[in-house]
Amino acid sequence: MSDGTDSPKTLLNTLRGKKQDQTPVWLMRQAGRYLPEYRELRAQKGGFLELCYDAQAAAEVTIQPIKRFGFDGAILFSDILIVPHAMGQKLWFETGEGPRLAPRLVDADLSSLEAAPEHFEAIYATVRKVAAQLDDKTTFMGFAGSPWTVATYMLHGQGSKDQGVARRYAYSDEVAFSELISAIIDNTVTYLLGQIDAGVDAVQLFDSWAGSLSPAQFEKWVIAPNAEIISRLKAVHADLPIIGFPKGAGAKLAAYVNETGADAIGLDETVDPVWAHETLPADLPLQGNLDPLALITGGEALEKATQNILQVFADRPHVFNLGHGILPDTPIEHVEKLLTLVRQ
């Protein structure tokens, strides 16, 4: 917890609103398939979910990019669908097709699910192992999916391009959808408090599908649920930074900032940095927002995009990151080049 003095963790200081001499950097999905050491461990352990629930292996994956690159932050290796799994949906991953959940809640009642809190406990074990191994300069971040995004998977049983099943359900049966959102909120608060107690320094709320909603629905299903989660976490851990990342929110980011109480805001790659800097509060820490494809391309494209972001955000607390997760075909040398550009 903050006592008013700077921590040796530059990323944590930045998330608390204290601009640092050097911009801290971490990358979403930095622990994953672009790393050969990850692919080797994944091959040994089998499926993705098995890897998430193996605390020793998941801790190793979390720390791999810290050992290789020295990022300022470590992000817990896990998945946003741990919450519905712990709520009682069956969860598995189809090779090449992504996650599957059953029963689909568009066809089944929420009350039919039988809670499985042991799935949370497996993640807390990972957190404890990572926290015991990180040095005093590396910020450790936990995370959860935001209720709207999690609900889209729970209702449809898988991902989709337009989240049409969840959007229709929210319009056609608002009472039932509200009950689902409330249940996700309760479980997410429990889950994040468990991560905090196990040793994370900050948490991020991923709303990957926030961009598919109309302004009124965004207010109801993105802003309000995230505000409740943040309020309940702050009631217990007032000084712990919470990053909100409503991907695709665009101009609705201003309302999200004003109404959720998030300490820092992640920007996806479609947000104009100049607009964000001029529109959002001057002391608000911003995170982002390099296009993951610019990182893959490298060369002049990477240099120009990186320098532009650094220049625009030079006078405010800023965490350098991608606008979304690092892609599996990202060259290692481009990540090394990015770190040189940010830190030189």
Side-chain angles (χ1 to χ4, degrees), residues 4-344:
T5 60
D6 277 358
S7 160
K9 301 178 180 184
T10 58
L11 173 53
L12 185 60
N13 291 333
T14 302
L15 294 175
R16 288 174 172 160
K18 301 174 182 178
K19 188 181 179 305
Q20 304 295 287
D21 292 335
Q22 181 173 285
T23 300
V25 56
W26 70 281
L27 303 180
M28 285 182 276
R29 292 186 189 154
Q30 66 188 20
R33 289 176 290 174
Y34 74 108
L35 292 175
E37 55 266 42
Y38 169 82
R39 295 194 297 270
E40 181 180 348
L41 185 60
R42 170 76 181 271
Q44 294 172 13
K45 295 295 179 179
F48 173 77
L49 197 56
E50 289 77 9
L51 190 56
C52 288
Y53 286 142
D54 182 327
Q56 187 65 42
E60 183 178 339
V61 172
T62 301
I63 293 172
Q64 282 175 347
I66 308 304
K67 289 180 176 178
R68 179 183 278 270
F69 300 113
F71 288 120
D72 296 292
I75 182 76
L76 172 67
F77 178 75
S78 185
D79 192 84
I80 65 168
L81 298 182
I82 300 301
V83 165
H85 202 199
M87 289 173 66
Q89 275 187 303
K90 295 177 182 177
L91 171 64
W92 70 99
F93 286 78
E94 296 282 356
T95 303
E97 296 184 16
R100 296 290 186 269
L101 291 158
R104 297 190 336 144
L105 290 189
V106 73
D107 303 319
D109 192 86
L110 180 63
S111 63
S112 69
L113 302 183
E114 186 174 340
E118 64 271 15
H119 297 315
F120 284 163
E121 294 298 331
I123 305 304
Y124 303 155
T126 300
V127 174
R128 287 189 289 268
K129 287 182 180 296
V130 174
Q133 295 178 61
L134 290 177
D135 62 30
D136 64 357
K137 295 181 179 179
T138 305
T139 301
F140 185 17
M141 290 165 290
F143 73 91
S146 290
W148 161 252
T149 290
V150 173
T152 67
Y153 286 96
M154 294 185 75
L155 286 161
H156 187 43
Q158 62 187 82
S160 68
K161 290 183 179 180
D162 65 356
Q163 296 77 56
V165 169
R167 288 162 61 200
R168 291 186 185 201
Y169 191 86
Y171 278 120
S172 63
D173 196 339
E174 186 173 323
V175 172
F177 191 70
S178 293
E179 290 175 354
L180 174 58
I181 291 291
S182 293
I184 297 170
I185 289 171
D186 290 344
N187 280 274
T188 301
V189 170
T190 296
Y191 183 41
L192 290 176
L193 286 175
Q195 291 183 35
I196 294 164
D197 290 343
V200 301
D201 299 308
V203 297
Q204 176 158 309
L205 290 164
F206 283 88
D207 225 336
S208 303
W209 303 128
S212 62
L213 291 169
S214 70
Q217 297 295 92
F218 184 89
E219 184 79 29
K220 186 176 294 184
W221 306 127
V222 172
I223 289 179
N226 281 289
E228 182 172 346
I229 290 170
I230 291 169
S231 174
R232 288 168 63 175
L233 293 177
K234 289 292 186 181
V236 184
H237 297 283
D239 295 325
L240 187 125
I242 301 171
I243 309 165
F245 180 55
K247 187 175 186 293
K252 297 190 287 294
L253 271 170
Y256 183 98
V257 168
N258 291 333
E259 298 172 38
T260 63
D263 298 291
I265 298 296
L267 308 174
D268 66 64
E269 65 271 24
T270 68
V271 177
D272 180 356
V274 174
W275 174 88
H277 180 57
E278 293 177 349
T279 304
L280 303 179
D283 58 349
L284 176 72
L286 297 180
Q287 177 178 276
N289 65 329
L290 181 71
D291 189 338
L293 293 178
L295 181 58
I296 287 178
T297 303
E300 186 176 0
L302 173 60
E303 293 184 24
K304 284 186 174 180
T306 301
Q307 293 298 343
N308 178 61
I309 292 166
L310 290 170
Q311 288 169 10
V312 171
F313 295 140
D315 295 327
R316 69 154 68 232
H318 175 227
V319 175
F320 198 96
N321 206 318
L322 299 175
H324 201 223
I326 191 168
L327 296 167
D329 55 339
T330 302
I332 295 291
E333 58 270 24
H334 292 188
V335 179
E336 294 170 340
K337 177 62 176 178
L338 172 63
L339 286 166
T340 299
L341 291 169
V342 174
R343 290 173 169 168
Q344 68 186 8

